[in-house]
Amino acid sequence: MPAHQTPSTDRPLPRLATELERAERLDPLAGMYERISRAVVPSPGRVRDELRGRSVGHPVHSVLTDLPIGLWASAVALDLTRPHGHADAARRLVGLGLLAAPPTALTGLADYRALSVPGRRVAVVHATSNGIGTLLALASWRARRAGRHGLGAVLSLAGMGAVGVGGYLGGHLAQAMREPRHVPGAR
């Protein structure tokens, strides 16, 4: 390795993600997510295959994440730039992001059972961070709906922080760990 490069585990964020892979204390939470996945994702078959991306040739979860993240980020951009009529537009964007969150989570749960044990440990923190971000987005939408646009903006910004953590860990799963290791349509 050239002198100007350092192994990824020498940098703080990759090191923390790698530590999550080894964090056995996350196994009970991983078990809970396993039970949730089994309860909400259909048994092997056409629907589950499609949730995992059979028709498009790769997992669809990472594509769907762009919807809520993009919508919520757009609301934050409006909050920061404050153009005329931004408050209503930002509220609508937050609401649309909330509508996009359940199918995004469902596709993540469909991929969950294909993960290795270290992948599941990272995935539960990924999912929990995104869940917190979604709850903050819901609180933002409710505050905005009640006319408390400043509070809504702050809650959106906090939600984007949580979703940012979740997104980083999702990227770690998809890139550094190359998870889930599967061929769409394979059972």
Side-chain angles (χ1 to χ4, degrees):
M1 177 180 302
H4 68 281
Q5 290 182 337
T6 58
S8 64
T9 55
D10 286 349
R11 289 176 267 151
L13 291 176
R15 184 175 56 247
L16 288 171
T18 301
E19 287 174 12
L20 289 176
E21 294 175 31
R22 295 188 292 257
E24 292 178 12
R25 67 187 176 278
L26 293 171
D27 291 346
L29 186 59
M32 183 186 80
Y33 274 86
E34 168 79 16
R35 290 187 296 279
I36 292 168
S37 175
R38 289 196 183 281
V40 301
V41 176
S43 298
R46 177 82 179 174
V47 173
R48 182 172 168 201
D49 289 349
E50 293 305 325
L51 287 171
R52 296 190 67 211
R54 176 182 176 182
S55 292
V56 296
H58 59 79
V60 294
H61 177 69
S62 58
V63 174
L64 289 182
T65 61
D66 291 352
L67 292 172
I69 292 170
L71 291 161
W72 295 333
S74 297
V76 169
L78 288 175
D79 290 335
L80 294 174
T81 59
R82 302 180 58 80
H84 177 71
H86 84 281
D88 286 338
R91 179 181 43 79
R92 286 186 184 108
L93 288 166
V94 171
L96 289 170
L98 288 168
L99 292 175
T104 303
L106 182 61
T107 58
L109 285 169
D111 287 340
Y112 182 77
R113 285 183 267 166
L115 297 174
S116 64
V117 171
R120 287 179 181 205
R121 291 171 182 155
V122 174
V124 298
V125 179
H126 159 77
T128 301
S129 295
N130 286 323
I132 291 167
T134 301
L135 289 174
L136 287 165
L138 176 61
S140 169
W141 181 81
R142 292 184 68 165
R144 292 168 189 273
R145 192 165 173 232
R148 301 182 70 196
H149 302 288
L151 176 60
V154 169
L155 290 166
S156 284
L157 195 56
M160 286 303 298
V163 168
V165 169
Y168 177 81
L169 293 174
H172 181 77
L173 280 166
Q175 300 301 315
M177 296 184 74
R178 301 285 192 254
E179 296 272 10
R181 295 181 181 107
H182 77 283
V183 174
R187 296 183 181 154

